[in-house]
Amino acid sequence: GESVGLHLPTLSVQEGDNSIINCAYSNSASDYFIWYKQESGKGPQFIIDIRSNMDKRQGQRVTVLLNKTVKHLSLQIAATQPGDSAVYFCADNQAGTALIFGKGTTLSVSS
Amino acid sequence: ETGVTQSPTHLIKTRGQQVTLRCSSQSGHNTVSWYQQALGQGPQFIFQYYREEENGRGNFPPRFSGLQFPNYSSELNVNALELDDSALYLCASSLMAGGGNEQFFGPGTRLTVL
C-alpha cells in the first residue's frame, strides 16, 4: 500500500550546522510532496513543497531534493537554529484529497 | 498563525460517550480536512469536506462523522468513544479541494478517553 516514511526518528545537531532529514515513499504515482514542521502543542506548519516535475526547490534556509528514481526526498536546513527544533514530517498529496504523512523525525538543536 | 481555529483545546471523555469537535476554516477557504494524530505518529486522514459534501474518506469507521456548514466551518463527531480514540485531532483548510492545494492546519484538539 501507499506509505511515506522517514529514515530516522531523531536527529541531533549543533547550532549552525546544516541538517538533512530524509524521507522515502512507495507510490511511484506520487506527484506532490510537502514538508511540515510541528512544534510541541501546535499543528503542522507548511515549510516547502515540490512537484514531481522538479528535482530541487529552495526556500529561505531550506532546500528540498526529490529523487524519483529511488523514491526519496530530503529536507536540508542550512545554519540550523534552536528555533528549528521540532518534529518534521514529509507528506504525499498524490491521493488528491488526503495528505499521507510519515511518522516524523524529531530534530534537536543544541547551542 | 494560519487563521484556522479549533475548539475546544482539550477534552476529556469516558469510553462510550460521544464528542463533537469544531473547526473554523481560514477566510476564503471552502475545503476542510480532518486528521487524527496519535502520540508519536504522523497525522492520519479521517475525511475531507468540500462545499458541504464529503469529498474523500480515510480508513476510519462510520462512528466518525462530520459536517460542513454554509460558512465552511466544520464539525467532527465521534460516537461510542474507545480508548484508542485518544489523540490530537487536527483540522486543515485549503482554498480548494484537489491535489496541490496547500492545507493550513489548526492547533488541534487534544482528546483523552478514559
Side-chain angles (χ1 to χ4, degrees):
Chain A
E2 182 177 12
S3 68
V4 178
L6 293 174
H7 293 304
L8 291 174
T10 61
L11 177 64
S12 297
V13 302
Q14 293 285 322
E15 181 178 1
D17 287 350
N18 295 332
S19 302
I20 300 176
I21 301 172
N22 296 305
C23 179
Y25 63 96
S26 60
N27 192 332
S28 300
S30 298
D31 59 3
Y32 179 55
F33 303 90
I34 311 101
W35 281 99
Y36 283 92
K37 172 186 180 183
Q38 188 174 25
E39 297 174 285
S40 181
K42 297 184 178 180
Q45 176 188 356
F46 174 92
I47 301 173
I48 192 168
D49 60 0
I50 188 167
R51 297 183 187 275
S52 60
N53 60 352
M54 303 173 71
D55 297 324
K56 178 180 180 179
R57 189 160 189 227
Q58 289 184 289
Q60 186 176 12
R61 280 201 308 117
V62 295
T63 301
V64 55
L65 300 177
L66 175 62
N67 185 329
K68 295 178 286 294
T69 302
V70 296
K71 292 184 284 188
H72 177 273
L73 67 159
S74 65
L75 176 70
Q76 300 179 4
I77 305 174
T80 313
Q81 303 168 0
D84 295 327
S85 294
V87 181
Y88 289 81
F89 294 97
C90 64
D92 171 7
N93 196 214
Q94 183 269 335
T97 53
L99 288 173
I100 310 299
F101 284 83
K103 290 187 177 181
T105 290
T106 300
L107 176 64
S108 298
V109 183
S110 53
S111 53
Chain B
E1 299 299 324
T2 62
V4 179
T5 60
Q6 294 186 242
S7 63
T9 305
H10 297 86
L11 201 54
I12 300 174
K13 292 285 188 178
T14 57
R15 194 169 46 181
Q17 286 189 310
Q18 178 266 342
V19 68
T20 297
L21 310 181
R22 295 177 175 83
C23 171
S24 291
S25 59
Q26 186 168 327
S27 178
H29 288 188
N30 60 20
T31 302
V32 172
S33 303
W34 286 91
Y35 294 81
Q36 179 195 66
Q37 186 175 22
L39 198 62
Q41 303 294 315
Q44 298 289 311
F45 175 71
I46 303 175
F47 43 58
Q48 181 182 88
Y49 278 84
Y50 169 62
R51 292 185 175 180
E52 303 178 59
E53 297 289 332
E54 187 176 293
N55 186 50
R57 187 179 182 93
N59 189 26
F60 280 81
R63 60 189 184 84
F64 286 78
S65 63
L67 283 173
Q68 187 178 33
F69 300 99
N71 66 354
Y72 302 130
S73 65
S74 178
E75 286 183 355
L76 164 65
N77 299 289
V78 187
N79 294 321
L81 282 167
E82 301 177 359
L83 297 179
D84 285 349
D85 295 334
S86 295
L88 180 68
Y89 288 85
L90 295 161
C91 161
S93 76
S94 50
L95 194 61
M96 293 182 65
N101 285 287
E102 183 179 342
Q103 297 189 20
F104 296 83
F105 284 83
T109 293
R110 172 72 62 187
L111 173 65
T112 302
V113 182
L114 302 177

